[in-house]
Each structure stands twice: as structure tokens, then as C-alpha cells.
């Protein structure tokens, strides 16, 4: 028998969700898969919501690894840097929606609908952009919020359109002069 850990529980839950779908997985089914009672899971997660929230955040961190570890190229054109970082971010969300519908559904249900987890997610993104640009975090939050259509799960079906990149570039072109002004 494997030693129970948060990582083992999350891995097992993710495998079950991929196999059966989120709506068909319970704490009892995760515990059963691990060969124990669901009460043993409470040492690590107080309920299904906290387990699914932790799994969603872990998945988000994985799909956004390039965005969260994004590095500036030399020489740094801050306007281009913001553009490239935003494209990395929205493209990661779009690709995850296309490639992993079951985990995207979990993320939508447990992060996008939970104000605390959503704030954590947005703050992590804003902190990364702020560290790249060296400006006020409020500016990063405003930029990320402005590009909501390209990143919020409610709009995900529209991301499959053939003109996704053109729409992104059109919004960027509209905002670039204001962003440039903010950078001065």
C-alpha cells in the first residue's frame, strides 16, 4: 500500500476525473481507488470543494507554467513584453480548453466560481506581470482584466473561432498607446 499524501490524493482524483468526468467522482470514489475510507482523506482536505479547488489550482499552475515562468528577452521593450506575456497567458488557457475539457470543467466549477481561489489565481498572474514590468500591481490587474474575454472560462467556446488571434491583436492595438503612456 502506498503512503497517503496530498500529492497521491490529487493524482488519483485527477486520474478519476479524466476517466469518468468530474460529476462522477466523489470523495468516496477517490478513497476507494486509494484503498481506504473517505474519512482518511479529511486529514488532507476538509471536503470535496477543497480537494477540487486544490486540484484545479495545481492544474492551472501546470498549464500556465510558461506564463508564470516567462522571461524577458534582451533588450527589453516593455510594451512588447506585456504583449508576449498576455499572448502566452491567453493561448495557454485556450489550448487547455481545447485539449483537456474535463480538467477545464473542473477549473471552471471550482476556481472561476470561488472568489477566494479566483483572487489567488489573478494575484499570482498580476504579481508575475508586475515583476516583469516593474510597475504598480494595479496596472497588471487592469491589463489582465481587460483581456477577460480571452481568459475567462465563460467565453471559452468563442476561443475556438478562427479569428481568435486577430481579435487579440485588435484589442492589443487599441490598448497599446495607453499601455505605452503608462510605461513612461
Amino acid at each position: 500500500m502506498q503512503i497517503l499524501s496530498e500529492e497521491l490524493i490529487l493524482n488519483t482524483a485527477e486520474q478519476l476525473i479524466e476517466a469518468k468526468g468530474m460529476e462522477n467522482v466523489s470523495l468516496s470514489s477517490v478513497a476507494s481507488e486509494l484503498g481506504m475510507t473517505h474519512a482518511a482523506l479529511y486529514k488532507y482536505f476538509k471536503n470535496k470543494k477543497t480537494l477540487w479547488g486544490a486540484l484545479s489550482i495545481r492544474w492551472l499552475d501546470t498549464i500556465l507554467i510558461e506564463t508564470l515562468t516567462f522571461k524577458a528577452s534582451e533588450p527589453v521593450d516593455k510594451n512588447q513584453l506585456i504583449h508576449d506575456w498576455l499572448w502566452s497567458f491567453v493561448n495557454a488557457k485556450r489550448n487547455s480548453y481545447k485539449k483537456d475539457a474535463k480538467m477545464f470543467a473542473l477549473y471552471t466549477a471550482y476556481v472561476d466560481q470561488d472568489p477566494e481561489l479566483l483572487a489567488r489565481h489573478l494575484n499570482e498572474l498580476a504579481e508575475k506581470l508586475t515583476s516583469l514590468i516593474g510597475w504598480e500591481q494595479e496596472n497588471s490587474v487592469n491589463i489582465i482584466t481587460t483581456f477577460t474575454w480571452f481568459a475567462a472560462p465563460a467565453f471559452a467556446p468563442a476561443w475556438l473561432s478562427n479569428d481568435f488571434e486577430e481579435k487579440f491583436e485588435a484589442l492589443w492595438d487599441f490598448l497599446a498607446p495607453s499601455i505605452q503612456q503608462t510605461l513612461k
Side-chain angles (χ1 to χ4, degrees):
M1 183 166 95
Q2 297 179 348
I3 297 174
L4 190 61
S5 67
E6 186 174 306
E7 188 69 20
L8 179 60
I9 295 166
L10 290 170
N11 289 341
T12 302
E14 184 172 357
Q15 290 168 358
L16 287 172
I17 288 169
E18 290 289 352
K20 300 178 180 184
M22 164 182 75
E23 58 283 340
N24 297 317
V25 179
S26 64
L27 284 180
S28 294
S29 62
V30 173
S32 177
E33 186 73 19
L34 291 166
M36 59 195 53
T37 66
H38 74 276
L41 299 179
Y42 292 125
K43 177 179 175 188
Y44 299 90
F45 301 98
K46 66 181 180 179
N47 54 37
K48 183 177 177 179
K49 180 181 177 184
T50 58
L51 170 58
W52 282 182
L55 183 56
S56 297
I57 291 293
R58 183 179 85 159
W59 178 78
L60 263 177
D61 289 346
T62 301
I63 66 153
L64 294 174
I65 193 71
E66 286 182 31
T67 304
L68 296 171
T69 60
F70 194 90
K71 301 263 191 264
S73 57
E74 295 295 330
V76 177
D77 172 344
K78 289 186 177 183
N79 221 34
Q80 188 65 45
L81 179 64
I82 295 167
H83 172 277
D84 294 350
W85 184 87
L86 282 167
W87 180 249
S88 168
F89 168 56
V90 302
N91 213 32
K93 289 266 186 119
R94 179 182 188 218
N95 287 336
S96 69
Y97 174 70
K98 292 191 304 189
K99 294 178 183 172
D100 199 347
K102 290 178 181 173
M103 287 302 292
F104 195 88
L106 180 78
Y107 149 66
T108 301
Y110 285 92
V111 174
D112 203 52
Q113 303 300 318
D114 182 318
E116 185 178 311
L117 289 177
L118 185 57
R120 176 181 163 200
H121 172 53
L122 292 174
N123 283 332
E124 185 176 23
L125 291 166
E127 286 170 7
K128 177 59 182 180
L129 184 55
T130 299
S131 73
L132 285 169
I133 302 303
W135 62 1
E136 298 292 321
Q137 184 148 337
E138 183 179 339
N139 292 330
S140 294
V141 170
N142 290 339
I143 292 291
I144 293 166
T145 303
T146 302
F147 281 81
T148 298
W149 186 88
F150 299 94
F155 301 105
W159 302 345
L160 300 178
S161 68
N162 292 333
D163 62 347
F164 180 81
E165 188 170 359
E166 289 87 11
K167 288 178 180 176
F168 175 88
E169 294 300 336
L171 181 56
W172 175 260
D173 290 344
F174 179 75
L175 294 172
S178 296
I179 293 169
Q180 187 65 40
Q181 190 63 34
T182 304
L183 293 169
K184 290 182 179 181

